[in-house]
Amino acid sequence: MRLIHTADWHLGRLFHGRHLTTDQAAVLERLIALVAEVRPAAVIVAGDLYDRGVPPTEAVELLDHVLSEIVLGLGVPVVAIAGNHDSPERVGFGAGLCRERGLVMAGQLSPSAEPLLLADEHGALALHALPFAAPAEARYRYEDDSLHDHAAALEAGVARARAATPAGARAVLVAHAYVSGATTSESERPLSLGGAGDVPASVFAGFDYVALGHIHRPQRAGGERVRYAGSLLKYSFSEHDQRKSVTVVEVGAPVPDGLAAVAVEQVELAAPHDVRRIEGTLAEIIARGRTDPARDDYILARLTDRGALLDPLSRLREVYPWTMKVERPEAEREAAGRGSRPDPRRAGEAELFADFFRYVTGDDSSPAERAAFAAVVDKLRRVEPETAP
Ligand SMILES: [Mn+2]
């Protein structure tokens, strides 16, 4: 049986101030085309449908469109869960009505969640949707005061899914969690402060496949059958070298007292703007940019120039219109190497000028430059005598 596993759509997300909704819509159109081609038994979205609890209306419209196209247009069921960015109540709105049409929207944790039962020529497959819930929420929903950390809360949900799997059926679990050892990116929000949110991969023992969300880099998490699909797009510059994809999973025939064979294929869905880091002097980057066929990528420019540059962002945007961020590692290193800066509340003008000159140029001012500065200040003093008490 074939399943398509995706996660971390983060609809409504901003990238350095730009709304990504049109980018997300373009990639999701490619997903719809892939679903039409692959004809999976179900499409899985493993949490973080939206970037925040109250998403912008464009994001809600986009999700509505994509789910309708897949569920109603193509007749393929969708199983989606709330992630740590989603509002469980909002994601779960109308869940009972949706389920009738083949759309499982698991928002709040439910102590009696029934799996979606699928079947192929090999028999039944139970698809379990376990939404993200913090330990306090799990204690309340499961009426179990012993659930003090994320591992215990998840374990409680997983045990219920195991118990709800019909005898002889294959079992697939959809969850949103941080499995110990997974490689993270800058765009994930930690599940708890201090890194106590991780769970061991052994929690998922006994499932034929586990479709995870939360970590944005596609990867295995303890064995080939426990996987992160990764996010829809690159949501931070730290992800510039990742290949974003959706995972097509083929679950084989059930194995008595064992696990079904699982084959996995990662299918890349190209984004309209790639996310890139480029490095060089301002002049070099601008020269290269004039013949760069991918000028419309989102760019982080790391400028290696020393000394002052006049408005580098505007100049870069003349060739790379989507320059989102400029870093000056050389200039910052030089500034850090110059030691302590004068306290602006106590230092005199001459001292502040000398420091600013060093900061901008990287060199000490000459006696002539200091004298010229002093003359200007002196002239201003005479034109505008200090009136403040
Ligand atoms: Mn996420």
Side-chain angles (χ1 to χ4, degrees), residues 8 10 47-48 84-85 176 187-189 214-216:
D8 296 275
H10 286 269
D48 289 353
N84 60 311
H85 282 250
H176 195 85
S187 60
E188 297 131 12
R189 186 196 296 158
H214 182 56
I215 302 295
H216 290 178

Side-chain angles (χ1 to χ4, degrees), residues 352-376:
L352 288 174
F353 169 75
D355 175 65
F356 181 69
F357 191 97
R358 256 196 313 275
Y359 177 76
V360 171
T361 66
D363 287 316
D364 282 325
S365 45
S366 68
E369 283 157 343
R370 287 196 293 276
F373 174 76
V376 171

